[in-house]
């Protein structure tokens, strides 16, 4: 099996953008997931008709460069460290913000809901429609529609500013706790089911995740969210101000 230090965009859940860097000195313009079907054809990103890890397909990390590399040449792969750290910070903050949001919204559930790893009803998983990791931040969009109401969630009189203030208070405590973060990797293959872990004062948090992360919550410096409610969409913008 060949290896690469580059993180490719996942076509199934495209949350964390591709790494930047160089391959044999050439800039890597993009890095995407590739899948090889029975006929040997390589399909890229959105053109892949199955979910990541589907049986019968071979999975690849595809590095896009402006000029082709000579076949057989040995090259160095170098990831832009600064950009990667900024994305890792954004991704770690994204998960912490989701857990904090679950905790703050917990008393709005009228029916039993599937709990997150800290035992709160998992609003994040029940309502999320998209998650985008950015350098030093993330944008998560949640749908507060009929289907969520049917599951037992009440968005009545939800004050985004008040919820954000409570989320930020929790986040400040978690950053101050200097909690260790690690990603559990069960196998070397691209499709291995990885899990993000964080040992918070509130308990051992875990979330399935294919992205990259920091190693301690204190590295985040400061994390804060801004919530906006527009129609039935709740948008959470998370920002990290690293020291
Ligand atoms: Zn993740």
């Amino acid at each position: 099996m060949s290896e690469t230090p580059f993180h490719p965009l996942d076509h199934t859940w495209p949350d964390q953008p591709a790494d930047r860097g160089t391959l044999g000195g050439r800039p890597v313009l993009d890095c995407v997931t590739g899948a090889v079907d029975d006929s040997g054809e390589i399909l890229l990103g959105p053109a892949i008709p199955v979910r990541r890890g589907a049986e019968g397909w071979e999975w690849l990390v595809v590095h896009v460069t402006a000029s082709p590399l000579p076949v057989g040449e040995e090259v160095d792969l170098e990831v832009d460290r600064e950009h990667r750290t900024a994305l890792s910070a954004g991704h770690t903050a994204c998960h912490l913000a989701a857990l904090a949001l679950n905790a703050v919204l917990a008393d709005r559930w009228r029916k039993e809901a599937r709990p997150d790893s800290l035992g709160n009803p998992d609003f994040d998983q029940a309502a999320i429609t998209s998650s985008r990791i950015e350098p030093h931040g993330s944008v998560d969009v949640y749908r507060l529609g009929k289907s969520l109401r049917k599951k037992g969630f009440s968005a009545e009189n939800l004050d985004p500013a008040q919820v954000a203030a409570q989320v930020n208070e929790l986040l400040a405590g978690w950053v101050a706790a200097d909690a260790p973060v690690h990603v559990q990797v069960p196998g070397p293959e691209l499709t291995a089911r990885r899990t993000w872990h964080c040992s918070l004062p509130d308990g051992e948090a875990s979330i399935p995740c294919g992205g990259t992360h920091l190693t301690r919550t204190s590295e985040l410096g400061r994390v804060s969210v801004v919530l906006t409610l527009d129609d039935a969409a709740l948008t959470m913008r998370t920002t990290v101000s690293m020291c």
Side-chain angles (χ1 to χ4, degrees), residues 37-108:
D37 66 13
D38 282 344
S39 68
E41 192 191 351
I42 302 178
L43 299 174
L44 300 182
I48 303 171
V50 293
R51 291 184 68 82
R52 179 164 55 97
E55 290 285 327
W57 295 72
E58 195 189 325
W59 297 88
L60 307 168
V61 177
V62 178
H63 308 73
V64 181
T65 54
S67 53
L69 293 156
V71 174
E73 189 185 322
E74 216 170 275
V75 294
D76 288 328
L77 294 100
E78 261 184 78
V79 169
D80 178 336
R81 285 283 139 204
E82 216 174 295
H83 188 242
R84 159 69 75 81
T85 302
L87 290 173
S88 295
H91 205 146
T92 300
C94 173
H95 284 338
L96 292 173
L99 291 167
L101 184 64
N102 286 350
V104 170
L105 297 178
D107 58 9
R108 289 185 161 269

Side-chain angles (χ1 to χ4, degrees), residues 15 91 95 196 207-211 213:
D15 57 350
H91 205 146
H95 284 338
W196 173 87
I207 295 178
C209 179
H213 290 274

Side-chain angles (χ1 to χ4, degrees), residues 1-206:
M1 182 177 306
S2 48
E3 284 181 26
T4 174
F6 278 78
H7 171 82
L9 183 72
D10 178 9
H11 76 290
T12 306
W13 184 245
D15 57 350
Q16 182 170 336
D19 275 329
R20 292 181 189 156
T22 57
L23 205 167
R26 297 159 177 82
V28 173
L29 306 175
D30 200 2
C31 190
V32 298
T33 305
V36 187
D37 66 13
D38 282 344
S39 68
E41 192 191 351
I42 302 178
L43 299 174
L44 300 182
I48 303 171
V50 293
R51 291 184 68 82
R52 179 164 55 97
E55 290 285 327
W57 295 72
E58 195 189 325
W59 297 88
L60 307 168
V61 177
V62 178
H63 308 73
V64 181
T65 54
S67 53
L69 293 156
V71 174
E73 189 185 322
E74 216 170 275
V75 294
D76 288 328
L77 294 100
E78 261 184 78
V79 169
D80 178 336
R81 285 283 139 204
E82 216 174 295
H83 188 242
R84 159 69 75 81
T85 302
L87 290 173
S88 295
H91 205 146
T92 300
C94 173
H95 284 338
L96 292 173
L99 291 167
L101 184 64
N102 286 350
V104 170
L105 297 178
D107 58 9
R108 289 185 161 269
W109 290 86
R110 308 271 184 266
K111 291 184 198 165
E112 186 130 359
R114 219 185 65 141
D116 68 16
S117 51
L118 296 179
N120 295 307
D122 203 339
F123 170 84
D124 178 71
Q125 277 310 293
I128 199 156
T129 57
S130 77
S131 180
R132 293 288 178 272
I133 309 298
E134 299 171 343
H136 301 114
S138 64
V139 180
D140 294 275
V141 182
Y142 301 99
R143 181 137 293 277
L144 308 177
K146 204 188 287 173
S147 86
L148 195 66
R149 200 157 55 236
K150 272 191 190 151
K151 288 180 193 167
F153 183 82
S154 166
E156 215 178 40
N157 301 325
L158 191 146
D159 177 353
Q162 196 187 2
V163 172
Q166 290 173 278
V167 167
N168 288 336
E169 206 178 304
L170 266 177
L171 288 171
W174 290 349
V175 170
D178 187 24
V181 175
H182 76 276
V183 178
Q184 193 189 338
V185 183
E189 67 277 12
L190 181 62
T191 53
R193 293 186 176 275
R194 296 154 183 254
T195 310
W196 173 87
H197 288 270
C198 183
S199 308
L200 293 170
D202 312 51
E204 181 67 22
S206 64

